[in-house]
Amino acid sequence: MATPGALLDVAPTVDRDPIARLVQRRQWTNFAAGSVMFAAAASSIVVTCSIVGILLFESITFFTQTVSPIDFLTDTMWTPQFANPRYGILPLVTGTLVTTFVALSIALPVGTIVAMYLSEFAPHAVRETIKPLLEMLSAVPTIIYGYFALQFMTPLLQKFVPGLPTFNMLSAGIVMGVMIIPYVSSLSEDAMRSVPMLLREGAYAMGANKVHTGFHVVFPAAFSGIASAYVLGVSRAIGETMIVAVSAGMQANLTFDPRQPAETITAYIVQVSQGDLEHGSPGYQSIFAAGITLFAMTLTFNILGHQLRKRFRQAY
Amino acid sequence: MNLAAADEKPVERRIPAIADPAVNGSMTRSPLAYTNNMVEPTRHEHDAPPTPKVTVESLNFFYGAVQALHNLSFVLAENRVTALIGPSGCGKSTFLRCFNRIHDLYPGTRYEGRITLHPSGTNIIDKSVDPIEMRMRIGMVFQKPNPFPKSIFENVAYGLRLKGITNKNELCDRVEIALKSTAIWEEVKHRLHKSAYEMSGGQQQRLCIARTIAAEPEVLLMDEPCSALDPIATGKIEELIRELRKKYAVLIVTHNMQQASRASDYTAFMYLGKIVEFGPTQQIFTNPTVKDTEDYVTGRFG
């Protein structure tokens, strides 16, 4: 960054005219404000890099001393508490993927439809009532959602799905989907509402109805923003902890059947952190190995989402 | 008026003719009075005499409590270009947008009076008339090009698909015809499946015209179609408007006097939500009868 002196192309004479002094002061203000903003932006990068650094550092010890990365990625058993521990991440990954999949298959369609309704169909008064109510859904603490899944959703589902165990991924995923709906609908609605009215008028002037305009013109025009909403939804689902910890069970289980109990990566981290863990023990380090896997997953989805947004960005 | 006769005999598309003295019998301040005495613009002498495509009678329009249009009467002639001129805020666009009821999209808007589409005799602004059907019969081109976020092909095919045409060959043929008639076929035929946003502004506007005429409307509304374009693109669009006149009744809003005088057959001068003067373009520009019109077209307004 240039020093403030270099920004000033004014000779250091004593008698400057008022405009030069004004310009100097402005440039100082610019420089100071710019520096503060740079520091704020830099701090978030520093924090992110530190997190990645700590994750990498701790898990490198884990991967060199406890288990090889190949076994970690290919072994089908995750039994760190057993006398003969095995550290295969796959059961935790499937648990995470299945609950995420169930949650997203609720949250993305419902969230999109809600957003479409609020943006294109709802009268003004209805929108102003429903939107804050929906956003309150995301203000409910997730532990409450967890017990909602366990105490309400599971008994309800047991009426339709015979033999459904008390702890299962289906119930956890559905409730997690409900939790994510407002994230998806709120951001998607903002994206749809920012589509210029001119584009809607164009569609209506061709003789399109509301449904056709909404789904064939507004939706693709807003898709870049809607993709951001989806990415946020995916990240929330992968990272969600309390709902799955409470209602999906705490046993690693390599299965793609949502009716079964299973453990997600996040639930494992909660579970293992509850016990007395010796600093530097394999159990302690396994937290970081699980954490870096989680990070890799969310990062992958974020990059995919970024590509999606770039691909569908519209310049209207 | 003898519009009822047109209802019974829709085959007689030339009835009622503007020159028919019976048409303006009941209306004293009807613009038909002007058109009765109209001299056809000389450069179109070979044309058939004008017939009304749309007649507007005592149209009032309200945005909530604000009245934007006051008791308008007007005739849009078949196979002619009619220009609406007037200062900003005089209600030109508001008037144009009554023709396809695009005002219906916004709450609190209200129409009074009658806009009759011939030869069916439908009152466009009647509540019982389906605006979607009217919009399929009356096409509109907007001030700024507004292609849909789709490929060039799908943009032009949009109205056809809305009309339920799914046959691939028919779609291809009609898209090609529409793009050829707006003179951009040669420029885009190799990239029909690329996004419409990759085109220049002038191309986008011609695409929007192609999209509108592909659906074969009966009337073409154009709301300042050249205001966002450079002079070369404007020239191409004006040339196109003169071509479109052969098939449609064209109503065009413009701020550009030269454009109105070059491209239109009839001109209506609007001021403060009223039609001040309406007549053949030549007469409006060379021999206006109202002082306000003369001041406006000679640039001495205000």
Side-chain angles (χ1 to χ4, degrees):
Chain A
M1 199 174 286
T3 62
L7 290 169
L8 297 172
D9 200 15
V10 184
T13 49
V14 191
D15 189 26
R16 288 196 198 115
D17 64 85
I19 291 190
R21 263 179 275 138
L22 190 67
V23 167
Q24 187 188 23
R25 203 164 64 232
R26 291 259 165 90
Q27 295 200 346
W28 264 106
T29 322
N30 270 349
F31 177 76
S35 308
V36 170
M37 291 174 200
F38 176 79
S43 67
S44 70
I45 295 172
V46 168
V47 169
T48 311
C49 290
S50 319
I51 291 174
V52 174
I54 291 168
L55 280 175
L56 276 175
F57 177 78
E58 295 284 354
S59 48
I60 280 169
T61 330
F62 178 76
F63 285 131
T64 48
Q65 291 175 2
T66 315
V67 63
S68 77
I70 293 166
D71 284 346
F72 181 75
L73 291 174
T74 54
D75 195 349
T76 56
M77 296 289 278
W78 181 265
T79 54
Q81 290 99 326
F82 285 16
N84 184 15
R86 285 171 68 180
Y87 298 98
I89 195 76
L90 281 179
L92 297 187
V93 171
T94 58
T96 303
L97 287 179
V98 171
T99 49
T100 300
F101 179 79
V102 173
L104 294 180
S105 56
I106 303 275
L108 300 194
V110 176
T112 310
I113 289 167
V114 168
M116 180 68 76
Y117 172 72
L118 290 179
S119 160
E120 305 299 312
F121 292 84
H124 182 77
V126 175
R127 178 170 58 228
E128 295 310 307
T129 319
I130 291 185
K131 208 178 176 191
L133 284 177
L134 251 178
E135 281 166 2
M136 268 165 63
L137 274 184
S138 56
V140 176
T142 54
I143 182 78
I144 292 174
Y145 276 116
Y147 280 97
F148 176 73
L150 188 65
Q151 304 287 338
F152 175 79
M153 189 54 80
T154 302
L156 184 72
L157 287 172
Q158 277 167 340
K159 289 183 183 148
F160 305 101
V161 187
L164 189 72
T166 310
F167 295 105
N168 62 81
M169 293 188 281
L170 184 62
S171 170
I174 290 174
V175 171
M176 196 152 86
V178 172
M179 181 202 80
I180 294 169
I181 287 171
Y183 291 92
V184 175
S185 69
S186 189
L187 281 181
S188 303
E189 193 227 335
D190 290 345
M192 290 188 206
R193 289 237 279 164
S194 63
V195 171
M197 201 58 207
L198 183 68
L199 214 54
R200 282 189 196 89
E201 286 186 355
Y204 284 117
M206 295 296 296
N209 57 15
K210 274 191 177 181
V211 175
H212 205 277
T213 306
F215 286 95
H216 287 84
V217 175
V218 177
F219 184 85
F223 192 72
S224 166
I226 295 171
S228 306
Y230 289 178
V231 169
L232 180 73
V234 173
S235 301
R236 290 287 307 168
I238 292 176
E240 176 45 40
T241 308
M242 285 325 290
I243 297 176
V244 283
V246 169
S247 67
M250 287 268 199
Q251 274 128 30
N253 184 359
L254 181 60
T255 176
F256 286 101
D257 182 354
R259 289 171 299 185
Q260 293 203 22
E263 188 169 45
T264 66
I265 299 175
T266 49
Y268 168 73
I269 294 174
V270 170
Q271 181 199 12
V272 78
S273 313
Q274 287 169 339
D276 295 326
L277 275 176
E278 199 186 326
H279 186 88
S281 67
Y284 172 84
Q285 283 160 353
S286 73
I287 293 177
F288 293 94
I292 205 159
T293 313
L294 198 61
F295 183 73
M297 284 170 76
T298 48
L299 189 68
T300 310
F301 280 109
N302 272 299
I303 291 170
L304 280 177
H306 185 72
Q307 295 300 323
L308 208 63
R309 281 205 299 280
K310 247 176 35 187
R311 165 84 178 70
F312 287 100
R313 178 154 296 151
Q314 305 291 357
Y316 34 71
Chain B
M1 294 188 60
N2 62 353
L3 298 179
D7 269 338
E8 288 155 18
K9 290 178 278 181
V11 273
E12 292 183 59
R13 287 180 60 96
R14 291 298 172 191
I15 293 178
I18 284 177
D20 184 350
V23 176
N24 70 339
S26 60
M27 297 168 64
T28 44
R29 278 283 295 159
S30 163
L32 296 174
Y34 299 115
T35 53
N36 258 343
N37 307 325
M38 271 181 194
V39 186
E40 263 297 284
T42 45
R43 67 174 188 272
H44 299 309
E45 260 177 351
H46 56 280
D47 289 331
T51 56
K53 181 65 198 170
V54 185
T55 48
V56 177
E57 294 155 69
S58 340
L59 176 73
N60 291 304
F61 178 78
F62 302 84
Y63 288 113
V66 180
Q67 183 165 7
L69 300 179
H70 300 266
N71 199 25
L72 301 191
S73 292
F74 176 81
V75 175
L76 183 65
E78 181 81 285
N79 301 115
R80 296 291 185 276
V81 178
T82 305
L84 294 173
I85 60 169
S88 295
C90 71
K92 307 181 295 291
S93 290
T94 303
F95 182 39
L96 180 105
R97 289 156 70 93
C98 289
F99 282 75
N100 67 349
R101 283 177 62 178
I102 209 86
H103 292 301
D104 287 21
L105 302 183
Y106 302 93
T109 54
R110 188 160 56 85
Y111 316 83
E112 272 174 16
R114 197 177 161 89
I115 301 181
T116 313
L117 181 65
H118 301 295
S120 63
T122 322
N123 179 12
I124 295 170
I125 55 172
D126 194 281
K127 280 211 164 55
S128 65
V129 170
D130 182 11
I132 289 177
E133 190 208 327
M134 283 304 116
R135 291 173 194 149
M136 285 186 175
R137 291 170 64 179
I138 299 176
M140 176 163 176
V141 176
F142 292 80
Q143 188 170 355
K144 268 173 38 186
N146 57 349
F148 301 136
K150 294 172 179 293
S151 68
I152 293 171
F153 181 90
E154 283 302 325
N155 262 279
V156 183
Y158 189 82
L160 301 172
R161 289 196 193 277
L162 280 179
K163 286 189 165 179
I165 298 167
T166 49
N167 184 303
K168 186 85 185 142
N169 289 332
E170 190 181 351
L171 284 175
C172 286
D173 287 348
R174 290 176 68 168
V175 166
E176 185 176 334
I177 291 167
L179 288 171
K180 277 180 174 162
S181 61
T182 51
I184 43 170
W185 174 253
E186 289 303 320
E187 294 159 54
V188 302
K189 67 180 177 187
H190 302 299
R191 49 185 180 124
L192 286 177
H193 298 284
K194 293 271 177 66
S195 166
Y197 293 126
E198 291 172 20
M199 307 165 86
S200 72
Q203 286 175 328
Q204 287 189 6
Q205 191 63 306
R206 279 183 288 156
L207 178 75
C208 291
I209 298 174
R211 179 177 78 187
T212 308
I213 65 176
E216 298 188 341
E218 299 169 33
V219 176
L220 199 55
L221 309 173
M222 301 181 122
D223 189 356
E224 296 186 50
C226 303
S227 65
L229 305 180
D230 67 51
I232 294 169
T234 301
K236 286 181 180 168
I237 305 261
E238 281 180 19
E239 205 174 301
L240 179 57
I241 292 169
R242 283 194 289 273
E243 274 304 301
L244 292 174
R245 164 184 188 283
K246 291 176 184 162
K247 283 178 77 179
Y248 304 98
V250 182
L251 181 62
I252 177 170
V253 165
T254 179
H255 267 296
N256 182 328
M257 294 303 128
Q258 285 75 31
Q259 184 169 72
S261 64
R262 278 193 302 259
S264 73
D265 303 302
Y266 298 108
T267 298
F269 170 62
M270 288 184 70
Y271 185 51
L272 298 176
K274 294 181 177 123
I275 292 179
V276 175
E277 188 167 3
F278 175 38
T281 300
Q282 237 180 339
Q283 181 222 315
I284 295 284
F285 280 91
T286 56
N287 190 20
T289 55
V290 183
K291 181 79 170 52
D292 279 345
T293 315
E294 190 183 337
D295 287 350
Y296 187 72
V297 297
T298 54
R300 272 185 282 127
F301 198 83

